């Protein structure tokens, strides 16, 4: 009985591309009393693995919190696996604003003490006595009320790239830190103000609203379904967006655009930018904002120190990490003095720039293709891209496809390439190959060979 992943992320990505099926990125949560979280976890894995469902899911005695990717054709069958459980009948599935077939590449279901680390003792207050849920139109209306205080219950790296205008954006690294800070800051407004809160998908506010009602706040409201649901509603109803910028998400996309406003800066050069990067150094993995130019110059690194480390032999990199507590910090939240243009706390309500119209982030598979490798570098002046060949050989005359969230799908026929400084006709697995490209490539781009 298979209860864990048997494929790597790379192998799963190839399978997704070969299948050519449209996938949905979605999230949901539910608070409920679960007697045996381990059995619940295993039952979900067996049901979802059959449906090619992927994602990051936490279960606990208090409920479930899930962010997932599923084939679009399996949506109703997937919903049926939820409604086996009474507490998930009719559950709201928050569909992403921007879908990406590679948003998740593994099915990971973990049993935790809590589905959100809030640091609260749930026995000390009524967790079901939550705030009033507001839909997008109602949320917009209450924001216009001068007696409203709106609070962002996300972390500094989330609010920096996008938030509601006029929101209090605590300079915190975890949800649990924000609760006492906001409680102290608003002590004198428990009865005379509307305390309005929001988060990504609603789960943090579900607990926070009950906590603040317990603390004596009389008028507590929360955005139903969070920013994700808000974005869908304002589009469907033609409403003004009072959220500006990007919504940070905890999957391979790292963000989905809500408005064209760019309100943050590249942490390295200060250019308007709201694209997050994880430092390439496996001993760091700092999450920071990096523009395309700095990404190319710094090779995905947050500092010159990390750049020097990634150029070392792998054995030396491992030696440097030995004994240090690094682990899997894919979303490490710590700040760094190397990031000169990092901002948090009180944030701007006006745009620094307007984003370019992105290509459709969803991969629309119209041709049969096989993954060859990934982008490694773009040489701006020469208009040359560098790729690492990981799966099959690449040969002059091959029709290739370069695909990525921003680049879109670009096809061309390879007529010249260079490996190790010498022009060649064939690139083999492990080679770093360079060739001219009539467009800018990004480090998130993949290289495919078109078959047939």
């Amino acid at each position: 009985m298979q209860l864990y992943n048997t494929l790597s992320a790379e192998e799963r990505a190839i399978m997704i591309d070969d299948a050519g099926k449209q996938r949905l990125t979605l999230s949901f949560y539910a608070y409920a009393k679960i007697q045996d979280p381990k059995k619940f976890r295993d039952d979900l894995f067996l049901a979802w693995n059959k449906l090619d469902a992927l994602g990051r899911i936490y279960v606990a005695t208090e409920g479930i919190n899930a962010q997932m990717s599923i084939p679009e054709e399996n949506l109703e069958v997937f919903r049926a696996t939820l409604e086996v459980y009474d507490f998930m009948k009719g559950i709201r599935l928050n569909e992403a604003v921007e879908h990406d077939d590679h948003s998740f590449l593994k099915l990971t279901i973990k049993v935790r003490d809590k589905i959100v680390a809030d640091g609260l003792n749930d026995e000390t207050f009524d967790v079901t006595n939550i705030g009033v849920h507001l839909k997008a139109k109602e949320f917009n209306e209450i924001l216009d009320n001068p007696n409203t205080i709106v609070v962002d219950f996300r972390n500094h790296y989330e609010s920096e790239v996008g938030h509601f205008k006029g929101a209090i954006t605590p300079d915190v690294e975890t949800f649990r830190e924000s609760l006492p800070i906001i409680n102290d800051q608003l002590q004198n407004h428990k009865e005379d103000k509307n305390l309005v809160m929001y988060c990504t998908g609603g789960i943090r506010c579900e607990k926070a609203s009950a906590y603040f009602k317990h603390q004596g706040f009389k008028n507590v409201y929360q955005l139903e379904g969070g920013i994700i649901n808000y974005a869908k509603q304002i589009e469907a109803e033609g409403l003004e967006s009072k959220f500006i910028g990007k919504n940070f998400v905890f999957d391979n996309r790292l963000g989905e655009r809500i408005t064209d406003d760019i309100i943050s800066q590249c942490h390295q050069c200060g250019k308007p930018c709201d694209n997050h990067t994880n430092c390439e150094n496996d001993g760091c993995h700092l999450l920071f904002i990096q523009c395309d130019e700095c990404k190319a110059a710094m090779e995905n690194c947050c500092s010159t120190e990390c750049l020097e480390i990634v150029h070392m032999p792998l054995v030396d990199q491992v030696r440097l990490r030995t004994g240090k507590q690094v682990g899997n910090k894919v979303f490490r939240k710590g700040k760094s003095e190397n990031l000169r243009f990092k901002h948090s706390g009180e944030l701007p309500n006006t745009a620094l720039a307007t984003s370019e119209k992105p290509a459709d982030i969803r991969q629309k598979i119209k041709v049969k293709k096989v993954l060859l490798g990934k982008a490694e570098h773009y040489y701006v002046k020469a208009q040359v891209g560098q790729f690492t060949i990981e799966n099959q050989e690449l040969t002059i005359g091959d029709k290739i496809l370069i695909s990525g969230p921003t680049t879109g799908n670009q096809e061309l026929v390879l007529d010249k390439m260079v490996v190790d400084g010498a022009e060649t006709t064939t690139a083999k697995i492990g080679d770093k190959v360079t060739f001219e490209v009539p467009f800018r490539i990004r480090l998130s781009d993949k290289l495919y060979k078109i078959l047939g």
Side-chain angles (χ1 to χ4, degrees), residues 78-143:
F78 174 76
R79 189 185 295 275
T81 67
L82 303 179
E83 298 197 344
V84 167
Y85 305 93
D86 288 341
F87 71 90
M88 287 197 285
K89 288 186 183 296
I91 193 170
R92 181 185 61 248
L93 302 181
N94 282 336
E95 285 193 23
V97 177
E98 298 173 336
H99 295 286
D100 183 347
D101 293 342
H102 290 178
S103 58
F104 291 99
L105 295 173
K106 289 187 177 182
L107 177 58
T108 303
I109 310 178
K110 295 184 178 181
V111 176
R112 292 281 179 88
D113 292 332
K114 287 196 168 189
I115 54 177
V116 176
D118 51 39
L120 298 174
N121 181 354
D122 294 354
E123 302 302 319
T124 62
F125 66 102
D126 183 359
V127 296
T128 67
N129 185 24
I130 61 176
V132 177
H133 282 186
L134 298 175
K135 297 187 183 299
K137 186 174 185 295
E138 299 166 321
F139 194 81
N140 278 2
E141 290 171 353
I142 204 168
L143 291 188

Coordinates of all heavy atoms in Angstrom, one line a residue, residues 78-143:
F78 N -12.6 14.5 -7.2 CA -11.9 15.0 -6.0 C -12.8 15.6 -5.0 O -12.7 15.3 -3.8 CB -10.9 16.1 -6.5 CG -10.1 16.7 -5.3 CD1 -9.1 16.1 -4.7 CD2 -10.5 18.0 -4.9 CE1 -8.4 16.6 -3.6 CE2 -9.8 18.6 -3.8 CZ -8.8 17.9 -3.2
R79 N -13.8 16.4 -5.4 CA -14.7 17.0 -4.4 C -15.5 15.8 -3.7 O -15.8 15.9 -2.5 CB -15.7 17.9 -5.2 CG -16.6 18.7 -4.2 CD -17.6 19.5 -5.0 NE -17.0 20.5 -5.8 CZ -16.6 21.7 -5.4 NH1 -16.8 22.1 -4.2 NH2 -16.1 22.6 -6.3
A80 N -15.8 14.8 -4.4 CA -16.5 13.6 -3.8 C -15.7 13.0 -2.7 O -16.2 12.5 -1.7 CB -16.9 12.6 -4.9
T81 N -14.3 13.0 -2.9 CA -13.5 12.4 -1.8 C -13.5 13.2 -0.5 O -13.2 12.7 0.6 CB -12.0 12.3 -2.3 OG1 -11.4 13.6 -2.5 CG2 -11.9 11.5 -3.6
L82 N -13.8 14.5 -0.7 CA -13.9 15.4 0.5 C -15.3 15.2 1.2 O -15.4 15.2 2.4 CB -13.8 16.9 0.1 CG -12.5 17.3 -0.6 CD1 -12.6 18.8 -1.0 CD2 -11.3 17.0 0.2
E83 N -16.3 15.1 0.4 CA -17.7 15.0 1.0 C -18.0 13.7 1.6 O -19.1 13.5 2.1 CB -18.7 15.4 -0.1 CG -18.4 16.9 -0.6 CD -19.6 17.5 -1.3 OE1 -20.5 16.7 -1.7 OE2 -19.6 18.7 -1.5
V84 N -17.1 12.7 1.6 CA -17.2 11.5 2.3 C -17.3 11.9 3.8 O -17.9 11.2 4.6 CB -16.0 10.6 2.1 CG1 -15.9 9.5 3.1 CG2 -16.1 10.0 0.7
Y85 N -16.6 13.0 4.2 CA -16.6 13.5 5.5 C -17.6 14.6 5.8 O -17.6 15.6 5.0 CB -15.2 14.0 5.9 CG -14.1 13.0 5.6 CD1 -13.4 13.0 4.3 CD2 -13.7 12.0 6.5 CE1 -12.4 12.0 4.1 CE2 -12.8 11.1 6.3 CZ -12.1 11.1 5.0 OH -11.2 10.1 4.8
D86 N -18.4 14.4 6.8 CA -19.5 15.4 7.0 C -19.0 16.8 7.2 O -19.6 17.8 6.7 CB -20.3 15.0 8.3 CG -21.1 13.8 8.1 OD1 -21.4 13.4 6.9 OD2 -21.5 13.1 9.1
F87 N -17.9 17.0 7.8 CA -17.4 18.4 8.0 C -16.9 19.1 6.8 O -16.6 20.3 6.8 CB -16.3 18.4 9.2 CG -15.0 17.8 8.8 CD1 -14.0 18.6 8.2 CD2 -14.7 16.5 9.0 CE1 -12.8 18.1 7.9 CE2 -13.5 16.0 8.7 CZ -12.5 16.8 8.1
M88 N -16.7 18.3 5.7 CA -16.3 18.9 4.4 C -17.4 18.9 3.3 O -17.1 19.2 2.2 CB -15.0 18.2 3.9 CG -13.8 18.6 4.7 SD -12.2 18.2 3.9 CE -12.1 16.4 4.1
K89 N -18.6 18.6 3.7 CA -19.7 18.7 2.7 C -19.9 20.1 2.3 O -20.1 21.0 3.2 CB -20.9 18.0 3.3 CG -20.9 16.5 3.4 CD -22.2 16.0 3.8 CE -22.2 14.4 4.0 NZ -21.9 13.7 2.8
G90 N -19.9 20.4 1.0 CA -20.1 21.8 0.6 C -19.0 22.7 0.8 O -19.2 23.9 0.7
I91 N -17.8 22.2 1.1 CA -16.7 23.0 1.4 C -16.3 23.9 0.3 O -16.4 23.5 -0.9 CB -15.4 22.2 1.8 CG1 -14.3 23.0 2.5 CG2 -14.9 21.4 0.7 CD1 -13.2 22.2 3.1
R92 N -15.9 25.2 0.6 CA -15.5 26.1 -0.5 C -14.0 25.8 -1.0 O -13.1 25.7 -0.1 CB -15.5 27.5 0.0 CG -15.1 28.6 -1.1 CD -15.0 30.0 -0.5 NE -14.0 30.1 0.5 CZ -14.3 30.4 1.8 NH1 -15.5 30.5 2.2 NH2 -13.3 30.5 2.7
L93 N -13.8 25.5 -2.2 CA -12.5 25.3 -2.8 C -12.1 26.7 -3.5 O -12.7 27.1 -4.4 CB -12.5 24.2 -3.9 CG -13.0 22.8 -3.4 CD1 -13.0 21.8 -4.5 CD2 -12.2 22.4 -2.2
N94 N -11.0 27.3 -2.9 CA -10.5 28.5 -3.5 C -9.6 28.2 -4.7 O -8.5 27.7 -4.5 CB -9.7 29.3 -2.4 CG -10.6 30.0 -1.4 OD1 -11.7 30.3 -1.7 ND2 -10.0 30.2 -0.2
E95 N -10.1 28.5 -5.9 CA -9.3 28.3 -7.1 C -8.4 29.5 -7.2 O -8.7 30.6 -7.0 CB -10.2 28.2 -8.3 CG -10.9 26.8 -8.4 CD -11.5 26.6 -9.8 OE1 -11.0 27.2 -10.8 OE2 -12.4 25.8 -9.9
A96 N -7.1 29.2 -7.6 CA -6.1 30.2 -7.8 C -6.5 31.2 -8.9 O -7.2 30.9 -9.8 CB -4.8 29.6 -8.1
V97 N -6.0 32.4 -8.7 CA -6.2 33.5 -9.7 C -5.4 33.1 -11.0 O -5.9 33.3 -12.1 CB -5.7 34.8 -9.2 CG1 -5.9 35.9 -10.3 CG2 -6.5 35.2 -8.0
E98 N -4.2 32.6 -10.8 CA -3.4 32.1 -12.0 C -3.0 30.7 -11.8 O -2.4 30.3 -10.7 CB -2.1 33.0 -12.0 CG -2.4 34.5 -12.3 CD -1.1 35.3 -12.2 OE1 -0.1 34.9 -11.5 OE2 -1.1 36.4 -12.8
H99 N -3.4 29.8 -12.7 CA -3.1 28.4 -12.6 C -1.7 28.1 -13.2 O -1.3 28.8 -14.1 CB -4.1 27.6 -13.3 CG -5.5 27.7 -12.6 ND1 -5.8 27.0 -11.4 CD2 -6.6 28.3 -13.0 CE1 -7.0 27.3 -11.1 NE2 -7.5 28.1 -12.0
D100 N -1.0 27.1 -12.7 CA 0.3 26.7 -13.2 C 0.3 25.2 -13.0 O 0.2 24.7 -11.9 CB 1.4 27.4 -12.4 CG 2.8 27.0 -13.0 OD1 2.9 26.1 -13.8 OD2 3.7 27.7 -12.6
D101 N 0.6 24.5 -14.1 CA 0.6 23.0 -14.1 C 1.7 22.5 -13.1 O 1.6 21.3 -12.7 CB 0.8 22.4 -15.5 CG -0.4 22.7 -16.4 OD1 -1.5 23.0 -15.8 OD2 -0.3 22.6 -17.6
H102 N 2.7 23.3 -12.8 CA 3.8 22.9 -12.0 C 3.7 23.5 -10.6 O 4.7 23.6 -9.9 CB 5.1 23.2 -12.6 CG 5.4 22.3 -13.8 ND1 6.6 22.5 -14.6 CD2 4.7 21.4 -14.4 CE1 6.5 21.6 -15.6 NE2 5.4 20.9 -15.5
S103 N 2.6 24.0 -10.2 CA 2.5 24.7 -8.9 C 2.9 23.7 -7.7 O 3.5 24.2 -6.8 CB 1.1 25.2 -8.6 OG 0.1 24.2 -8.7
F104 N 2.5 22.5 -7.8 CA 3.0 21.5 -6.9 C 3.4 20.2 -7.6 O 2.8 19.9 -8.6 CB 1.8 21.0 -5.9 CG 1.5 22.1 -4.9 CD1 0.3 22.9 -5.2 CD2 2.2 22.3 -3.8 CE1 0.0 23.9 -4.3 CE2 1.9 23.3 -2.9 CZ 0.7 24.1 -3.1
L105 N 4.5 19.6 -7.1 CA 5.1 18.4 -7.8 C 5.1 17.2 -7.0 O 5.7 16.2 -7.4 CB 6.4 18.8 -8.4 CG 6.4 19.9 -9.5 CD1 7.8 20.3 -9.9 CD2 5.6 19.4 -10.7
K106 N 4.6 17.3 -5.8 CA 4.5 16.1 -4.9 C 3.2 16.2 -4.1 O 2.7 17.3 -3.9 CB 5.7 16.1 -3.9 CG 7.1 15.8 -4.6 CD 8.2 15.6 -3.5 CE 9.5 15.2 -4.2 NZ 10.6 15.0 -3.2
L107 N 2.8 15.0 -3.6 CA 1.7 15.0 -2.7 C 2.2 14.7 -1.3 O 2.7 13.7 -1.0 CB 0.7 13.8 -3.1 CG -0.5 13.6 -2.1 CD1 -1.3 14.9 -2.0 CD2 -1.4 12.5 -2.6
T108 N 2.2 15.8 -0.5 CA 2.7 15.7 0.9 C 1.6 16.0 1.9 O 1.1 17.1 1.9 CB 3.9 16.8 1.0 OG1 4.9 16.5 0.0 CG2 4.5 16.7 2.4
I109 N 1.3 15.0 2.7 CA 0.3 15.2 3.7 C 0.9 14.9 5.1 O 1.4 13.8 5.3 CB -0.9 14.2 3.5 CG1 -1.5 14.3 2.1 CG2 -2.0 14.6 4.5 CD1 -2.6 13.4 1.8
K110 N 1.0 15.9 5.9 CA 1.7 15.8 7.2 C 0.7 15.9 8.4 O -0.2 16.8 8.3 CB 2.8 16.8 7.3 CG 3.9 16.6 6.3 CD 5.0 17.7 6.5 CE 6.2 17.4 5.5 NZ 7.3 18.4 5.8
V111 N 0.9 15.1 9.4 CA 0.2 15.3 10.7 C 0.9 16.3 11.6 O 2.1 16.1 11.8 CB 0.0 13.9 11.4 CG1 -0.7 14.1 12.7 CG2 -0.7 12.9 10.5
R112 N 0.2 17.3 12.0 CA 0.8 18.3 12.8 C 0.0 18.5 14.1 O -1.2 18.0 14.2 CB 0.8 19.7 12.0 CG 1.7 19.7 10.8 CD 3.2 19.9 11.3 NE 4.1 20.0 10.3 CZ 4.5 21.1 9.6 NH1 3.8 22.2 9.8 NH2 5.4 21.0 8.7
D113 N 0.5 19.2 15.0 CA -0.2 19.6 16.3 C -1.4 20.5 16.0 O -2.4 20.4 16.6 CB 0.7 20.2 17.3 CG 1.7 19.2 17.8 OD1 1.4 18.0 17.8 OD2 2.8 19.7 18.2
K114 N -1.1 21.4 15.0 CA -2.2 22.4 14.6 C -2.0 22.6 13.1 O -1.0 22.4 12.5 CB -2.0 23.7 15.3 CG -2.4 23.7 16.7 CD -2.5 25.2 17.2 CE -3.2 25.2 18.6 NZ -3.6 26.6 19.0
I115 N -3.2 22.9 12.4 CA -3.1 23.2 11.0 C -2.5 24.5 10.6 O -2.1 24.8 9.5 CB -4.5 23.0 10.3 CG1 -5.6 23.8 11.0 CG2 -4.9 21.5 10.4 CD1 -6.9 23.7 10.3
V116 N -2.5 25.4 11.6 CA -1.8 26.7 11.5 C -1.1 27.0 12.8 O -1.8 26.9 13.9 CB -2.8 27.9 11.2 CG1 -2.0 29.2 11.2 CG2 -3.4 27.7 9.8
A117 N 0.2 27.3 12.8 CA 0.9 27.5 14.0 C 0.6 28.9 14.6 O 1.1 29.9 14.2 CB 2.4 27.4 13.8
D118 N -0.4 28.9 15.5 CA -0.9 30.2 16.0 C -0.4 30.5 17.5 O -0.6 31.6 18.0 CB -2.4 30.3 16.0 CG -3.1 29.1 16.6 OD1 -2.6 28.6 17.7 OD2 -4.1 28.6 16.1
G119 N 0.1 29.5 18.1 CA 0.6 29.7 19.5 C -0.4 29.9 20.5 O -0.1 30.2 21.7
L120 N -1.7 29.6 20.2 CA -2.8 29.8 21.1 C -3.2 28.6 21.8 O -3.1 27.5 21.3 CB -4.0 30.4 20.4 CG -3.8 31.7 19.6 CD1 -5.1 32.1 18.8 CD2 -3.6 32.8 20.6
N121 N -3.7 28.7 23.1 CA -4.3 27.6 23.8 C -5.8 27.6 23.5 O -6.5 28.4 24.1 CB -4.0 27.8 25.3 CG -4.6 26.6 26.1 OD1 -5.3 25.7 25.6 ND2 -4.3 26.6 27.4
D122 N -6.2 26.7 22.7 CA -7.6 26.7 22.2 C -8.6 26.4 23.4 O -9.8 26.7 23.2 CB -7.8 25.7 21.1 CG -7.1 26.1 19.8 OD1 -6.5 27.2 19.8 OD2 -7.0 25.4 18.9
E123 N -8.1 25.9 24.5 CA -9.0 25.6 25.6 C -9.4 26.8 26.4 O -10.3 26.7 27.2 CB -8.3 24.6 26.5 CG -7.8 23.3 25.9 CD -9.0 22.5 25.2 OE1 -10.1 22.5 25.8 OE2 -8.8 22.0 24.1
T124 N -8.7 27.9 26.1 CA -9.0 29.1 26.9 C -10.0 30.1 26.3 O -10.4 31.1 26.9 CB -7.7 29.9 27.1 OG1 -7.2 30.3 25.8 CG2 -6.6 29.1 27.8
F125 N -10.5 29.8 25.1 CA -11.5 30.6 24.5 C -12.3 29.8 23.5 O -12.0 28.7 23.1 CB -10.9 31.9 23.8 CG -10.1 31.6 22.6 CD1 -10.5 31.8 21.3 CD2 -8.8 31.1 22.8 CE1 -9.8 31.5 20.2 CE2 -8.0 30.9 21.7 CZ -8.5 31.1 20.4
D126 N -13.5 30.3 23.1 CA -14.4 29.7 22.1 C -13.9 29.9 20.7 O -14.1 31.0 20.1 CB -15.8 30.2 22.3 CG -16.8 29.5 21.4 OD1 -16.4 28.5 20.7 OD2 -18.0 29.8 21.5
V127 N -13.3 28.9 20.1 CA -12.7 29.0 18.8 C -13.8 29.1 17.7 O -13.5 29.4 16.6 CB -11.7 27.9 18.5 CG1 -10.5 27.9 19.4 CG2 -12.4 26.5 18.5
T128 N -15.0 28.7 18.1 CA -16.1 28.8 17.1 C -16.8 30.1 17.0 O -17.6 30.4 16.2 CB -17.2 27.7 17.4 OG1 -17.8 28.0 18.6 CG2 -16.5 26.3 17.5
N129 N -16.5 31.0 18.0 CA -17.2 32.3 18.1 C -16.4 33.3 17.2 O -15.6 34.2 17.6 CB -17.2 32.8 19.5 CG -17.9 34.1 19.6 OD1 -18.8 34.5 18.8 ND2 -17.6 34.9 20.7
I130 N -16.5 33.1 15.9 CA -15.7 33.8 14.9 C -16.3 35.1 14.5 O -17.5 35.4 14.8 CB -15.4 33.0 13.7 CG1 -16.7 32.6 13.0 CG2 -14.6 31.7 14.0 CD1 -16.6 31.8 11.7
G131 N -15.5 35.9 13.8 CA -16.0 37.2 13.3 C -17.0 37.1 12.1 O -17.2 36.0 11.5
V132 N -17.6 38.2 11.7 CA -18.6 38.2 10.6 C -17.8 38.0 9.3 O -16.9 38.8 9.0 CB -19.4 39.5 10.6 CG1 -20.3 39.5 9.4 CG2 -20.1 39.6 11.9
H133 N -18.2 37.1 8.4 CA -17.6 36.9 7.1 C -18.2 37.9 6.2 O -19.4 38.2 6.1 CB -18.0 35.5 6.6 CG -17.1 34.4 7.2 ND1 -17.2 33.1 6.7 CD2 -16.2 34.4 8.2 CE1 -16.3 32.4 7.4 NE2 -15.7 33.1 8.3
L134 N -17.3 38.5 5.4 CA -17.6 39.6 4.4 C -17.2 39.1 3.0 O -16.1 38.7 2.8 CB -17.0 40.9 4.7 CG -17.3 41.5 6.1 CD1 -16.4 42.8 6.3 CD2 -18.8 41.9 6.2
K135 N -18.2 39.2 2.1 CA -17.8 39.0 0.7 C -17.2 40.3 0.1 O -17.1 41.3 0.8 CB -19.1 38.7 -0.1 CG -19.7 37.4 0.3 CD -20.9 37.0 -0.6 CE -21.5 35.7 -0.1 NZ -20.6 34.5 0.0
A136 N -16.6 40.2 -1.1 CA -15.8 41.3 -1.6 C -16.6 42.6 -1.6 O -16.0 43.7 -1.2 CB -15.4 40.9 -3.1
K137 N -17.8 42.7 -2.0 CA -18.6 43.9 -2.1 C -18.7 44.5 -0.7 O -18.5 45.7 -0.5 CB -19.9 43.7 -2.7 CG -20.8 45.0 -3.0 CD -22.0 44.7 -3.8 CE -22.8 45.9 -4.1 NZ -23.3 46.6 -2.9
E138 N -19.1 43.7 0.3 CA -19.2 44.1 1.7 C -17.9 44.6 2.2 O -17.8 45.5 3.0 CB -19.8 43.0 2.5 CG -21.2 42.5 2.0 CD -21.6 41.2 2.7 OE1 -20.7 40.3 2.8 OE2 -22.7 41.0 3.0
F139 N -16.8 43.9 1.9 CA -15.5 44.2 2.4 C -15.1 45.6 1.9 O -14.6 46.4 2.6 CB -14.5 43.1 1.9 CG -13.2 43.2 2.6 CD1 -13.0 42.6 3.9 CD2 -12.1 43.8 2.0 CE1 -11.8 42.7 4.5 CE2 -10.9 43.8 2.7 CZ -10.7 43.3 3.9
N140 N -15.3 45.8 0.6 CA -15.0 47.2 0.0 C -15.8 48.3 0.7 O -15.3 49.3 1.0 CB -15.4 47.2 -1.5 CG -14.3 46.6 -2.3 OD1 -13.3 46.1 -1.8 ND2 -14.5 46.6 -3.7
E141 N -17.1 48.0 1.0 CA -17.9 49.0 1.7 C -17.4 49.3 3.1 O -17.4 50.5 3.5 CB -19.4 48.5 1.7 CG -20.0 48.5 0.3 CD -21.4 47.8 0.3 OE1 -21.7 47.2 1.4 OE2 -22.1 47.9 -0.7
I142 N -17.1 48.3 3.9 CA -16.6 48.5 5.2 C -15.3 49.2 5.3 O -14.9 50.0 6.2 CB -16.6 47.2 6.1 CG1 -16.8 47.6 7.6 CG2 -15.4 46.4 5.8 CD1 -17.1 46.4 8.4
L143 N -14.4 49.0 4.2 CA -13.1 49.7 4.2 C -13.3 51.2 4.0 O -12.4 52.0 4.4 CB -12.3 49.1 3.0 CG -11.7 47.7 3.2 CD1 -10.8 47.4 2.1 CD2 -11.1 47.4 4.5

